[in-house]
Amino acid sequence: MSDESTRFDRLPATDAERTVEERASREEVLDWFDERFGIEPSVFDSYSFWERGAGKIWAFYGDLDSPVDIEGLGMTVLRTRQEHWKPTLEAVQRFGDHATRNTIQLSREQATAFMAGDDQTLSWDGDWGYLIVTHELAGEQEPLGVGLYTYDELKSVVPKGRRREL
């Protein structure tokens, strides 16, 4: 198997089963979501993980034979093959309510600025890096998207096409 940008290849279950050196394994993906955000691996029990191209990881509710030569399969959940793995907006909005760490709760004013794509100076006593940004809606903390926190600044990484004026 190789990195083909036109097909989906299932992630190997473990590192030992890897045939493409840089490809993440299912085990690594589950460990990363658990270690970074406290999302239990069991949350993903019904999902298979796929890579299309180099480092775009997709989650599919169900399973198929590999490889699959189609345009889309489930949703993108993670970017690997870069210095720091980055969860996608879709993954955070779908699975972020299971997170128990590295989430930052924003006020309405802060959430409005975040969704508009604005960076903000904020105090945070947790880990630097990618965070799940939440805001209270109807009494529940709802994941809004992904933020990058460094040097007392929360950078909004909401894609330009998904930014909203609230």
Side-chain angles (χ1 to χ4, degrees), residues 53-84:
K56 277 189 176 180
I57 307 300
W58 295 61
F60 175 68
Y61 188 80
D63 204 1
L64 298 169
D65 290 332
S66 180
V68 179
D69 192 14
I70 57 176
E71 290 297 314
L73 182 67
M75 72 168 93
T76 55
V77 292
L78 190 60
R79 302 277 192 271
T80 62
R81 301 205 198 182
Q82 52 195 33
E83 184 179 357
H84 301 287

Side-chain angles (χ1 to χ4, degrees), residues 135-142:
H135 176 64
E136 185 178 331
L137 295 171
E140 298 286 328
Q141 286 303 312
E142 293 296 327

Side-chain angles (χ1 to χ4, degrees), residues 64-120:
L64 298 169
D65 290 332
S66 180
V68 179
D69 192 14
I70 57 176
E71 290 297 314
L73 182 67
M75 72 168 93
T76 55
V77 292
L78 190 60
R79 302 277 192 271
T80 62
R81 301 205 198 182
Q82 52 195 33
E83 184 179 357
H84 301 287
W85 287 14
K86 179 190 174 292
T88 65
L89 173 76
E90 294 78 14
V92 165
Q93 289 181 342
R94 171 63 184 88
F95 302 109
D97 60 335
H98 296 282
T100 60
R101 65 177 154 271
N102 290 319
T103 65
I104 188 168
Q105 180 180 343
L106 300 183
S107 68
R108 177 154 180 77
E109 181 180 292
Q110 292 167 331
T112 298
F114 176 81
M115 291 305 296
D118 298 335
D119 298 340
Q120 304 173 62

Side-chain angles (χ1 to χ4, degrees), residues 8-28:
F8 288 88
D9 291 298
R10 182 192 336 275
L11 295 187
T14 65
D15 294 350
E17 297 175 23
R18 184 185 343 252
T19 58
V20 176
E21 186 177 327
E22 300 86 15
R23 181 166 290 150
S25 68
R26 177 183 179 84
E27 181 179 57
E28 286 177 304

Side-chain angles (χ1 to χ4, degrees), residues 25 34 39-40 45 52 66 75 77 93 140 154 160-161:
S25 68
D34 187 21
I39 300 175
E40 294 287 329
D45 282 352
R52 181 171 179 189
S66 180
M75 72 168 93
V77 292
Q93 289 181 342
E140 298 286 328
L154 178 67
K160 288 182 182 174

